């Protein structure tokens, strides 16, 4: 009996809906395969004839008597079906229409966040949209319908805020899903204060996803109390654990070199490395190190910059002076219409200020004389020499900075640029020794126009001191040159020179795979093509830079993406080679992403938005910095459509 009971139960579960039941009992099969009554819309749990019959005879006996089985009932059921289909299509249209409105609302909210604009801009955009549409669709027959659609757009400040938080959460989920699949990731950490003096830690992760290298803001972490190394470490560890990212996946940490980051016992790095069960690469951001090298000038040269800033502020910061100075430049038919203010946050600012000041030096001296403001240094030949020296040196440093800041650079390429600059510094010292000043055009022009006697030894010593500073730094990178070069040049790699301790590589399998890769023309030819592609990229970069085509330069394919595509085309039988290549590609060259995020943070949380809470600030910043696209269709379906408020 137990066996027959089980058999009957299985048969019941496997029953299928029979077409004839529609005419007999006024039932149809819904999208889940279950019977639904056309008369009362009730759904039954099983496709059993007895259940349908019982429902029909007990609940719809009057329908059965009014329309007896046969043609009468057949026609009545057909009418019910038509009515059902009509109401279903109306409902589907309403759902789709509501979904479209929601998606449009998400798109506008995303654009607001990406541009760092306040939530209240939603209503402003909607108003512009409505007013413009009045004219844009004036001759359209369905103009009223279009305008109604726009008016339905939910874009109140609260709605834009909610949409922003939802999209940020969706992007975080995508980041976490990708991070679960990687074997290696790197972190870059920096700390700064927002407009309310709240310390914010910017935590960026770099890893290789299935689509290529990713450099993403994982979290903007507020520190409510102190900003010691342990406070930063606790915030970072808490963020990683919250997202279930194992700390052992970290292969490198990049910081700005501040004491709270690098302290031997209580620094952020030392606390975090204790929690990681393997050796990791810890380094000071290349761009920060380069900036520190640039600060090796004698104090009197540094004072030149301070005086330039003081004079610029004298003119620009006073509204009346500033207005009069601009008019003065127009009268003198000057090449430039204004001075530039120095901004310590922006890397290239110093060089740009000096260059503009040099171009307007005659006009500045004449204007200050007219105003009775006396700066004797502006007529002192020794000061002028130091000033023009600074103009030329910062121009060279700016060129290096620009290359180091390019998106998609590998660490190896950045290190090559630094070593190349070290060699240029030797060349600059020789330039002074020969007294040719070929590489110092501003200083050379000053000598030619004023018959100045240049203090050759003084400037040569300043250059050599800077070169010594460069040579002392970047040791952590120099020691790993062969490993960092592997991603570009695996065919010339020597296994004995590679550092495997960071990446959990099976050395035996690695050696076998590398030997096979070098011998198989099918795969080795890919890396020959890679070098040709990288040469072409570098040529385009040089051409566009010399022509000042910055937009074209920005649109070039990124170096790390070209390298990734080559390695990704190699079969997984070379898994140990790919593991090392992707781990090296995941290393940060600098904390520049963190620096940029702080600039964006100050744009978002300005004096006018100083009440923006930390959660919303992080959401806005994530949408502004991410390369992921939020799944708007999924987010919209999770919501119930509603009209604007």
């Amino acid at each position: 009996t137990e066996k027959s009971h089980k058999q009957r139960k299985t048969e019941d579960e496997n029953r299928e809906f029979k077409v004839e039941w529609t005419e007999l009992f006024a039932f149809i099969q819904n999208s889940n395969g279950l019977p639904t009554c056309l008369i009362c819309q009730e759904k039954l749990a099983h496709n059993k004839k007895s259940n349908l019959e019982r429902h029909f005879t007990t609940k719809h006996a009057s329908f059965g008597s009014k329309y007896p089985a046969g043609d009468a009932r057949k026609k009545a059921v057909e009418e019910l079906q038509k009515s059902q289909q009509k109401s279903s299509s109306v409902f589907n249209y309403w759902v789709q229409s509501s979904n479209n409105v929601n998606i449009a609302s998400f798109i506008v909210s995303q654009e607001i966040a990406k541009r760092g604009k306040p939530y209240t801009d939603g209503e402003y955009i909607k108003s512009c949209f409505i007013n413009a549409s009045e004219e844009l669709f004036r001759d359209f027959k369905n103009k009223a319908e279009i305008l109604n659609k726009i008016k339905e757009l939910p874009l109140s400040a609260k709605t834009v805020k909610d949409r922003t938080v939802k999209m940020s959460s969706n992007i975080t989920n995508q980041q976490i899903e990708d991070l679960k699949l990687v074997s290696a990731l790197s972190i870059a950490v920096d700390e700064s204060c927002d407009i309310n003096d709240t310390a914010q830690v910017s935590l960026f992760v770099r890893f290789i996803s299935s689509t290529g290298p990713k450099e993403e803001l994982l979290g903007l972490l507020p520190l409510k109390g102190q900003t010691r190394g342990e406070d930063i470490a606790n915030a970072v560890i808490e963020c990683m654990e919250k997202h279930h990212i194992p700390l052992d996946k970290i292969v490198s940490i990049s910081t700005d070199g501040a004491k709270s980051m690098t302290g031997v016992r209580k620094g952020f790095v030392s606390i975090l490395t204790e929690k990681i069960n393997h050796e990791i690469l810890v380094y000071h951001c290349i761009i920060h190190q380069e900036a520190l090298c640039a600060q090796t000038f004698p104090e009197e040269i540094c004072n030149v910059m301070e005086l330039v800033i003081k004079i610029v502020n004298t003119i620009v910061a006073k509204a009346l002076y500033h207005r009069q100075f601009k008019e003065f430049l127009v009268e003198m038919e000057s090449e430039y219409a204004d001075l530039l203010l120095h901004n310590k946050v922006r890397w290239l600012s110093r060089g740009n200020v000096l260059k503009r000041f040099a171009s307007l030096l005659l006009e500045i001296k004449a204007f200050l004389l007219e105003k009775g403001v006396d700066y004797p240094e502006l007529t002192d030949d020794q000061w002028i020499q130091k000033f023009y020296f600074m103009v030329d040196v910062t121009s060279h440093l700016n060129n290096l900075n620009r290359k180091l800041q390019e998106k998609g650079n590998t660490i190896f390429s950045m290190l090559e640029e630094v070593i190349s600059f070290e060699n240029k510094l030797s060349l600059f010292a020789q330039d002074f020794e020969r007294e040719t000043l070929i590489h110092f055009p501003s200083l050379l022009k000053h000598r030619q126009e004023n018959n100045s006697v240049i203090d050759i030894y003084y400037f040569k010593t300043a250059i050599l001191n800077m070169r010594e500073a460069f040579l002392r730094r970047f040791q952590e990178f120099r020691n790993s040159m062969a490993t960092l070069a592997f991603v570009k040049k695996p065919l010339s790699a020597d296994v004995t020179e590679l550092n495997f301790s960071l990446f959990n590589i099976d050395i035996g399998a690695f050696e076998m795979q590398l030997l096979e890769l070098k011998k198989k023309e099918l795969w080795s030819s890919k890396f020959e093509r890679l070098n040709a592609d990288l040469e072409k990229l570098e040529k385009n970069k040089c051409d566009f830079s010399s022509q000042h085509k910055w937009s074209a330069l920005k649109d070039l394919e990124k170096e790390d993406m070209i390298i990734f595509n080559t390695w990704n085309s190699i079969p997984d039988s070379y898994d140990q080679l790919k593991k090392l290549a992707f781990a090296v590609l995941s290393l940060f060259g600098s904390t520049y992403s963190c620096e940029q995020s702080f600039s964006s943070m100050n744009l978002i949380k300005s004096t006018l938005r100083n009440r923006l809470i930390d959660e919303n600030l992080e959401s806005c910043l994530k949408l502004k910095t991410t390369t992921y696209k939020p799944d708007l269709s999924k987010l919209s379906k999770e919501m119930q459509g509603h009209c604007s408020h």
Side-chain angles (χ1 to χ4, degrees), residues 310-440:
K310 187 178 178 182
I311 294 170
V312 169
N313 286 339
T314 299
I315 296 171
V316 177
K318 293 181 181 176
L320 178 62
Y321 272 17
H322 190 199
R323 191 167 61 251
Q324 290 174 340
F325 181 67
K326 286 199 282 187
E327 289 167 2
F328 185 75
L329 292 179
V330 172
E331 286 170 18
M332 295 188 71
E333 297 180 350
S334 174
E335 180 186 352
Y336 295 104
D338 201 358
L339 278 167
L340 293 175
L341 276 169
H342 175 232
N343 183 338
K344 289 182 180 178
V345 175
R346 293 189 181 139
W347 297 99
L348 306 178
S349 170
R350 177 174 300 197
N352 293 338
V353 170
L354 285 167
K355 201 170 181 180
R356 179 68 62 86
F357 194 94
S359 301
L360 295 173
L361 187 57
L362 288 174
E363 290 89 337
I364 290 167
K365 285 161 78 170
F367 181 76
L368 292 175
L369 186 66
E370 187 182 287
K371 291 293 171 190
V373 180
D374 183 33
Y375 286 104
E377 293 90 345
L378 295 180
T379 53
D380 178 0
D381 187 67
Q382 290 299 308
W383 188 90
I384 295 291
Q385 283 187 35
K386 294 181 180 73
F387 168 69
Y388 282 124
F389 173 77
M390 277 285 279
V391 171
D392 291 328
V393 170
T394 52
S395 176
H396 292 305
L397 285 166
N398 273 6
N399 288 335
L400 174 61
N401 256 318
R402 203 173 275 116
K403 289 174 181 175
L404 294 180
Q405 290 173 17
E406 284 172 4
K407 288 271 186 185
N409 276 343
T410 60
I411 286 195
F412 183 71
S413 296
M414 295 175 79
L415 192 56
E416 281 184 322
E417 293 292 351
V418 168
I419 291 170
S420 171
F421 191 76
E422 287 171 5
N423 295 329
K424 286 177 184 176
L425 288 171
S426 297
L427 183 66
F428 297 160
Q430 290 170 22
D431 194 17
F432 275 109
E433 205 167 293
R434 296 192 304 259
E435 299 189 24
T436 48
L437 305 186
I438 297 168
H439 303 288
F440 296 84

Side-chain angles (χ1 to χ4, degrees), residues 84 384 419 428 478 537 604 638:
Q84 167 81 9
I384 295 291
I419 291 170
F428 297 160
R478 295 179 204 272
L537 175 67
I604 293 164
E638 288 172 357

Side-chain angles (χ1 to χ4, degrees), residues 206 286 400 403-421 477 480-481 483-489 531 534-535 537-538 541 558-561 563 584-585 587-589:
R206 184 175 165 90
I286 288 179
L400 174 61
K403 289 174 181 175
L404 294 180
Q405 290 173 17
E406 284 172 4
K407 288 271 186 185
N409 276 343
T410 60
I411 286 195
F412 183 71
S413 296
M414 295 175 79
L415 192 56
E416 281 184 322
E417 293 292 351
V418 168
I419 291 170
S420 171
F421 191 76
F477 300 111
S480 304
M481 277 289 277
T483 310
L484 300 179
F486 177 76
V487 290
K488 282 183 171 183
K489 304 170 183 177
N531 281 326
L534 292 175
E535 282 173 20
L537 175 67
E538 195 57 37
K541 280 183 181 180
K558 304 296 178 270
E559 180 193 34
D560 58 359
M561 195 66 196
I563 295 170
V584 171
L585 266 183
L587 299 177
F588 275 102

Side-chain angles (χ1 to χ4, degrees), residues 611-626:
R611 293 172 66 190
L612 195 67
I613 64 171
D614 293 325
E615 181 198 1
N616 293 340
L617 175 59
E618 183 187 48
S619 296
C620 292
L621 194 56
K622 185 162 283 196
L623 284 179
K624 187 165 173 56
T625 58
T626 188

Side-chain angles (χ1 to χ4, degrees), residues 389 393 425 428-429 440 459-467:
F389 173 77
V393 170
L425 288 171
F428 297 160
F440 296 84
F459 293 123
K460 177 188 165 186
T461 304
I463 290 290
L464 289 175
N465 286 342
M466 188 192 289
R467 184 172 181 273

Side-chain angles (χ1 to χ4, degrees), residues 44 89 93 97 101 122-123 157 189 257-258 318 327 338 342 386 444 511 529 566:
L44 302 189
S89 66
Y93 173 80
S97 176
V101 167
E123 290 287 9
V189 181
K318 293 181 181 176
E327 289 167 2
D338 201 358
H342 175 232
K386 294 181 180 73
L444 177 62
E511 285 183 316
R529 285 199 297 275
T566 301

